[in-house]
Amino acid sequence: MSQVSIEHVYKRFGKVTAVGDFNLQVADGEFVSLLGPSGCGKTTTLRMVAGFERTTEGKITIGEKVVNNHEDGTFVPPEKRDIGMVFQSYAVWPHMTVFQNVEYPLKIQKVDKAERDKKVQNILDMVHLGEYGERYPNQLSGGQQQRVALARALVANPSLLLLDEPLSNLDAKLRESMRFEISALQKRLGITVIYVTHDQSEAMTMSDRIVVMSAGVVQQIGKPYDIYTKPANKMVADFIGLVNFLPGVVKGDRAFLEGTEVSFANDKNLTGNVTIAVRPENIKLSKTGGIVQGTMKHRFYLGDSVDYRVQVGDKHVIRVIIKGIQYGTFADGEPVYLDFDKVMLFNRE
Amino acid sequence: MKHLPRIDSKFIVIALSVLVLLYFIVFPMLILIYDSFVVDGAINFSNYKAVYSQNVNWKALVNTVELSLLVMIASVIITFPMAWLIGRTDLPWKRTFRTILVGSYMIPPYVGAIAWVQMLNPSVGYLNELFKFIFHLSAAPFNIYSIGGLAWVLTLFYSPFAFITISRAMEKMDPTLEEAARVAGASPLRTLWDVTLPLMAPSIVAGGLLVFIAAGSAFGIPAIVGMPGNIEVMTTRIVTFVYMGDDKGIRDATALAVSLMIIANGLLFFMSWLLSRKDYTTISGKSTRPNMVELGKFKHLAFAIVAGYAFVAVILPIGSVVMTSFIKSMSKGLELTNFGIDPWIPVITSAQYMESIGRSLVYGVIAACIGTVLSVFVAYLSVKTNITGRSLPDLLVVLGGSTPSIVIALALIITFSGNYGLNIYSTMWILIVGYLVKYMTMSVRTVAASLSQVHISLEEAALNSGASWLRTCKDIIIPLVMPSIVAGWFLIFMPSFYELTMSNLLYGADTKTIGVLLYELQTYADTQNASVLSVIILVIVLAGNLILNKITKGAVSI
């Protein structure tokens, strides 16, 4: 049993609240990502689960065991939490060989030598480092060092695996292949994972659920699809994917684009001033007709798509991304029409 | 063709600095080595044989090595746990302890020696009296004039070298390496043993060697604490030989000095090789706050131990000299009526004393000004150019700094008393040259570190705008590294101001410095005037350090 429950957790450093009222239930075998810009409290939250920080308030349970509860002062130190952890800086010990690094958690648990050798070789094979046992970390590439860290975190069959931005020191190509490797390994071992990242595509591709955080506060918890298509607020919409924000005003059951007769269904029953949000790929461009008229301002050719900027009125520039269209379809300065699909409404601050 | 003159001016400046450094650092050392080996025109070891066949010299060598080893081991045993407690645990008052332990480095060692003699001399030592009173003892429990006493004072005043080296390395170590051990199931102590200690090993050895070299090259403490107990070390023997004043004395001294130089410089070479090995470099990630080990029930015990050490190492000796400086009559007890500013009056009104202080200030300022200019050129050359041999001046400066003071002084006496052209013997210039040779390395390091932060493109932009190289230096580079230049100035000024070892050999009738004066007062058992002067030195050094701290915002301190 290795579900994790984080209840009403706060972390304050002096007067600064790094994490405020954090609540999350992670199911056994689930892959959950904590996603947010730097300084949003995601790493602090992970470090509280690991036991490197105490909660100022609240309770953390791993499996059946309460590991931190501020009310009765319960605090289980990191070494007694039965977790594996992978750090951004790899934290592979430079004075030990690859084999010794991976063997270390088993040695601490006093597993006998034969058993240890078998388990270490097994996990090294799994991360494709079977031949590298005798090497020292400084003889390995960054990606290989990260695999050593992963093997070390998994070798003792921990009930929970924590990953703190494990891929951000790797180059782009390697980052992508490691994503799939970690994902596949997690599915194969069925281990519960909490993964911290600021990279939305990492979170989207790997996670069962994503926790979007900002300024120490959870903004939304949900499946990747729901987070993308139904963001809870402006922050989430802006942080995940690209989005155009336009000012709108609610009149009855319609939200009007400010200064125009163009309106959208007010399905959230908002009132007053609102923000109308629409993603660039959900806008259609046409020369003949649409709900909004504008002028083509700039075009950026990206190979698989074209990124357009359309001037609407005096104030607004709308970004439109169209896949697989020919660059020359529209000319700069030409009048164009836009159609909005999947429009989202948010309260304006 | 337009940029030719730029290369010329650069080349001339560099060539000049190299020549100056060769003449004042390398040349005297070569002469010293030559003199020690060449007897009657032939190279041989007869000089060494003659010197070491004298029991007192051989005993001094053994004493030096034994003491240095003892002090090195004691320093590492004391400072590693303290560096760990201060750097990696939730010990209360960590920052204060850090400041005190690092700061004790700026107390002139001979002031510390004077203080400990006051406290632990067998006849009237304050602490001995206190222990006798508390435990109803008939005899003083401690005798400072012993190998143990000497090792004790040396350890207190040279262990900061180890503390600074070890705690710096600990700060640089990626804390997630330790956290990884914690999640792997290791307790804090097991983590310390399995991860922290092995990773710190090179720095621990390096810090220990620094202490070994410093203790072996020390003169002030062995002279004040060891000599009254007839404990001789290499440095005190060298001084005794030089004081004999004849050719034989000097020649005997050269053999001892070269032996000391080989030990010290050899160890430093080994140390820099050890630290330059790449095995232990690790990628450092984002700077998370390192996880602080919770001491729990040991918190108060650890606090008491560290606080006790800081009290004994720093507060107690300073307290002792300050107190002594205000005692009206040493023959009376420590009653309130026996305290007053009376002992200060004769010191402050003495022309002789005030002249010495003034002289030391002037020599310090001159050395600091010349040294800073040279440091800037040397640092620029090694950091900012790609000329062949660019790091040679840097290397020469390091060679000077790593050579024991007593060796430098002896080499300067032999070389610059007229036998090879220049005669500056018993003038202030020989003192200033000595200070420069010994202390320029700190200022070069500081300036070089800050120069390496100035990107080459800033300089190229100025050259592109049509400025000459000298003009670029004046308008762009110097202003950008100004704080480190000022810091470098203080790093030469302060140790030069209170220098004793070299000054004691190099001073003349009209160039007695405050260090020498204080040393004389102490040897003539004028402990009161010595205490007053010690307090004056401490105040000046403290003020200098506060200014330095202000300028560099705490990044550099002596």
Side-chain angles (χ1 to χ4, degrees):
Chain A
M1 297 305 286
S2 44
Q3 72 273 30
V4 178
S5 131
I6 305 172
E7 296 161 65
H8 300 292
V9 161
Y10 286 79
K11 181 68 191 181
R12 297 190 190 93
F13 296 110
K15 282 182 180 161
V16 183
T17 302
V19 177
D21 199 20
F22 191 102
N23 289 283
L24 177 68
Q25 303 290 325
V26 183
D28 191 12
E30 195 181 15
F31 192 123
V32 173
S33 290
L34 307 185
L35 175 65
S38 57
C40 71
K42 57 192 191 297
T43 293
T44 305
T45 305
L46 193 78
R47 289 173 67 79
M48 286 192 283
V49 177
F52 292 128
E53 304 282 357
R54 281 171 187 261
T55 62
T56 312
E57 272 178 53
K59 187 166 134 186
I60 300 175
T61 314
I62 299 175
E64 300 292 304
K65 190 159 84 178
V66 177
V67 291
N68 194 346
N69 185 357
H70 91 284
E71 270 170 17
D72 59 8
T74 306
F75 180 77
V76 178
E79 64 269 25
K80 301 224 168 74
R81 291 197 179 190
D82 186 24
I83 48 179
M85 185 161 176
V86 178
F87 299 85
Q88 181 183 13
S89 58
Y90 319 143
V92 175
W93 299 306
H95 61 302
M96 298 184 194
T97 62
V98 167
F99 193 94
Q100 288 166 336
N101 261 283
V102 178
E103 189 188 20
Y104 191 76
L106 300 175
K107 243 169 130 172
I108 297 279
Q109 291 181 5
K110 300 197 171 65
V111 176
D112 68 63
K113 182 69 183 154
E115 175 82 6
R116 237 155 55 195
D117 287 353
K118 212 177 86 192
K119 281 190 167 166
V120 172
Q121 199 52 53
N122 229 332
I123 196 87
L124 280 180
D125 288 338
M126 222 183 276
V127 296
H128 313 298
L129 286 175
E131 311 292 311
Y132 290 81
E134 296 313 307
R135 300 251 189 126
Y136 277 91
N138 63 353
Q139 299 166 305
L140 301 182
S141 68
Q144 288 169 327
Q145 289 191 39
Q146 194 55 288
R147 272 191 266 251
V148 176
L150 194 59
R152 184 180 62 190
L154 291 170
V155 72
N157 281 322
S159 55
L160 171 65
L161 178 63
L162 306 177
L163 299 110
D164 185 7
E165 308 232 11
L167 305 183
S168 57
N169 277 344
L170 303 178
D171 63 59
K173 269 249 161 68
L174 197 55
R175 204 151 56 210
E176 200 158 320
S177 69
M178 280 297 284
R179 257 185 227 168
F180 295 109
E181 218 168 297
I182 291 176
S183 240
L185 210 55
Q186 186 255 342
K187 299 246 150 46
R188 187 163 153 197
L189 301 171
I191 190 170
T192 313
V193 170
I194 302 180
Y195 187 103
V196 160
T197 181
H198 64 269
D199 180 330
Q200 47 149 321
S201 54
E202 251 172 48
M204 298 287 276
T205 48
M206 299 167 82
S207 321
D208 296 317
R209 278 190 303 155
I210 297 175
V211 180
V212 184
M213 293 179 75
S214 172
V217 178
V218 173
Q219 304 292 325
Q220 189 172 6
I221 302 179
K223 294 192 166 76
Y225 179 82
D226 293 337
I227 298 251
Y228 191 80
T229 54
K230 285 176 245 157
N233 55 38
K234 264 177 83 172
M235 183 270 149
V236 177
D238 197 19
F239 191 73
I240 311 272
L242 301 168
V243 68
N244 292 294
F245 287 128
L246 298 163
V249 183
V250 167
K251 284 175 195 146
D253 60 352
R254 304 293 289 175
F256 287 85
L257 193 57
E258 211 174 65
T260 68
E261 293 304 308
V262 179
S263 67
F264 305 96
N266 179 14
D267 48 4
K268 286 184 189 163
N269 291 319
L270 301 176
T271 54
N273 288 338
V274 294
T275 295
I276 297 169
V278 57
R279 298 207 183 270
E281 72 273 18
N282 293 336
I283 302 177
K284 277 202 202 90
L285 271 185
S286 146
K287 289 186 185 185
T288 50
I291 55 167
V292 178
Q293 200 199 338
T295 313
M296 181 57 66
K297 208 176 166 203
H298 289 300
R299 296 164 296 157
F300 303 97
Y301 180 61
L302 300 175
D304 61 339
S305 59
V306 184
D307 193 344
Y308 296 100
R309 301 296 143 87
V310 178
Q311 181 82 44
V312 175
D314 298 333
K315 282 188 272 179
H316 305 300
V317 175
I318 296 181
R319 188 169 178 186
V320 183
I321 294 176
I322 310 242
K323 295 256 177 207
I325 194 166
Q326 282 186 341
Y327 180 65
T329 311
F330 302 97
D332 287 353
E334 193 179 7
V336 289
Y337 295 91
L338 302 98
D339 252 328
F340 293 172
D341 189 18
K342 296 175 187 157
V343 168
M344 303 173 281
L345 294 184
F346 301 110
N347 277 318
R348 214 192 300 173
E349 272 101 61
Chain B
M1 290 315 283
K2 206 175 167 235
H3 56 266
L4 253 182
R6 170 166 73 87
I7 291 172
D8 270 352
S9 63
K10 206 185 228 179
F11 183 76
I12 290 167
V13 166
I14 287 158
L16 274 176
S17 343
V18 174
L19 280 179
V20 167
L21 295 173
L22 281 174
Y23 186 60
F24 286 107
I25 299 175
V26 181
F27 181 56
M29 287 185 199
L30 291 178
I31 298 286
L32 175 75
I33 297 170
Y34 178 86
D35 274 12
S36 80
F37 282 108
V38 177
V39 183
D40 303 328
I43 296 178
N44 57 59
F45 286 94
S46 62
N47 187 23
Y48 286 82
K49 274 183 201 147
V51 168
Y52 285 113
S53 63
Q54 280 181 268
N55 193 39
V56 58
N57 295 332
W58 178 249
K59 184 76 183 131
L61 178 65
V62 173
N63 276 344
T64 301
V65 173
E66 273 181 7
L67 269 170
S68 302
L69 270 177
L70 203 61
V71 172
M72 173 179 89
I73 293 165
S75 294
V76 169
I77 290 175
I78 293 170
T79 55
F80 178 76
M82 279 207 272
W84 182 74
L85 283 170
I86 288 170
R88 284 285 193 268
T89 70
D90 61 346
L91 184 79
W93 289 24
K94 283 189 289 194
R95 295 181 80 110
T96 312
F97 287 139
R98 193 187 170 72
T99 311
I100 292 176
L101 291 178
V102 172
S104 66
Y105 176 56
M106 72 185 190
I107 302 175
Y110 55 84
V111 171
I114 290 171
W116 279 101
V117 166
Q118 287 169 359
M119 291 187 284
L120 286 184
N121 77 66
S123 46
V124 291
Y126 300 137
L127 291 181
N128 273 332
E129 294 295 308
L130 184 69
F131 287 127
K132 267 158 79 178
F133 176 74
I134 294 175
F135 301 107
H136 305 292
L137 305 170
S138 55
F142 297 106
N143 178 10
I144 192 78
Y145 304 124
S146 60
I147 286 275
L150 189 48
W152 167 250
V153 182
L154 284 169
T155 303
L156 291 182
F157 286 88
Y158 291 110
S159 60
F161 286 105
F163 180 78
I164 292 167
T165 312
I166 292 171
S167 54
R168 255 184 213 156
M170 210 174 270
E171 277 162 23
K172 271 165 73 183
M173 192 173 93
D174 181 357
T176 57
L177 288 168
E178 292 168 316
E179 291 173 0
R182 295 294 299 281
V183 287
S187 66
L189 274 182
R190 182 92 195 249
T191 303
L192 179 63
W193 185 253
D194 285 348
V195 175
T196 317
L197 204 56
L199 287 177
M200 298 287 301
S203 308
I204 292 171
V205 173
L209 287 178
L210 274 182
V211 172
F212 183 97
I213 295 162
S217 318
F219 169 72
I221 293 176
I224 292 169
V225 177
M227 298 254 264
N230 288 323
I231 300 163
E232 292 263 19
V233 294
M234 297 287 272
T235 53
T236 56
R237 285 307 298 160
I238 293 172
V239 171
T240 309
F241 278 129
V242 174
Y243 275 4
M244 287 177 181
D246 56 4
D247 284 351
K248 171 154 187 331
I250 296 278
R251 202 171 54 240
D252 287 354
T254 58
L256 293 177
V258 172
S259 316
L260 189 61
M261 183 166 116
I262 289 169
I263 296 173
N265 289 1
L267 285 176
L268 273 169
F269 181 78
F270 170 70
M271 192 187 90
S272 52
W273 169 80
L274 186 75
L275 286 182
S276 66
R277 290 189 312 165
K278 293 266 184 272
D279 312 17
Y280 287 98
T281 46
T282 48
I283 301 158
S284 50
K286 59 184 170 187
S287 53
T288 45
R289 298 174 340 124
N291 164 48
M292 290 300 162
V293 171
E294 296 179 359
L295 293 169
K297 60 188 175 194
F298 298 110
K299 199 167 177 168
H300 298 293
L301 180 68
F303 177 79
I305 291 172
V306 178
Y309 181 81
F311 178 75
V312 170
V314 182
I315 316 279
L316 210 53
I318 292 179
S320 176
V321 288
V322 171
M323 186 178 84
T324 308
S325 81
F326 288 106
I327 294 176
K328 283 183 194 165
S329 165
M330 288 304 284
S331 52
K332 288 188 194 145
L334 300 178
E335 293 114 24
L336 261 182
T337 51
N338 197 17
F339 284 101
I341 58 159
D342 309 43
W344 281 70
I345 313 261
V347 174
I348 292 173
T349 54
S350 153
Q352 190 209 349
Y353 292 178
M354 288 303 116
E355 272 168 21
S356 281
I357 294 177
R359 243 179 245 133
S360 286
L361 286 172
V362 170
Y363 300 170
V365 167
I366 295 174
C369 290
I370 298 174
T372 308
V373 173
L374 273 173
S375 298
V376 171
F377 287 128
V378 170
Y380 179 88
L381 185 63
S382 89
V383 174
K384 287 277 169 221
T385 67
N386 45 16
I387 301 167
T388 324
R390 64 185 172 277
S391 50
L392 181 66
D394 191 13
L395 204 73
L396 296 180
V397 169
V398 171
L399 176 70
S402 64
T403 306
S405 300
I406 201 96
V407 177
I408 296 172
L410 184 58
L412 293 179
I413 291 175
I414 297 172
T415 314
F416 297 120
S417 40
N419 291 341
Y420 305 94
L422 188 63
N423 186 353
I424 49 174
Y425 188 61
S426 79
T427 68
M428 67 182 224
W429 293 108
I430 198 163
L431 288 161
I432 290 168
V433 168
Y435 300 158
L436 284 173
V437 172
K438 183 68 191 172
Y439 299 123
M440 246 176 64
T441 172
M442 294 273 276
S443 113
V444 170
R445 285 280 79 74
T446 310
V447 177
S450 125
L451 264 182
S452 64
Q453 304 289 317
V454 178
H455 197 267
I456 186 82
S457 60
L458 296 174
E459 204 178 314
E460 287 168 346
L463 294 171
N464 245 316
S465 318
S468 67
W469 177 65
L470 283 174
R471 184 77 196 264
T472 305
C473 280
K474 179 178 146 286
D475 291 348
I476 310 294
I477 302 168
I478 305 275
L480 284 172
V481 298
M482 205 55 204
S484 76
I485 292 178
V486 178
W489 191 93
F490 274 96
L491 289 176
I492 299 176
F493 169 75
M494 281 194 284
S496 301
F497 166 70
Y498 62 68
E499 210 282 332
L500 169 64
T501 313
M502 290 184 285
S503 313
N504 190 43
L505 284 186
L506 299 176
Y507 82 97
D510 302 320
T511 58
K512 192 183 279 180
T513 62
I514 187 169
V516 178
L517 177 67
L518 184 50
Y519 175 60
E520 282 180 1
L521 290 173
Q522 177 66 23
T523 16
Y524 300 151
D526 189 348
T527 187
Q528 287 226 271
N529 283 350
S531 295
V532 175
L533 276 182
S534 296
V535 175
I536 293 174
I537 293 179
L538 284 176
V539 169
I540 292 175
V541 171
L542 186 70
N545 216 54
L546 286 178
I547 298 171
L548 178 60
N549 233 297
K550 195 118 196 145
I551 292 165
T552 62
K553 297 180 181 74
V556 178
S557 75
I558 181 170

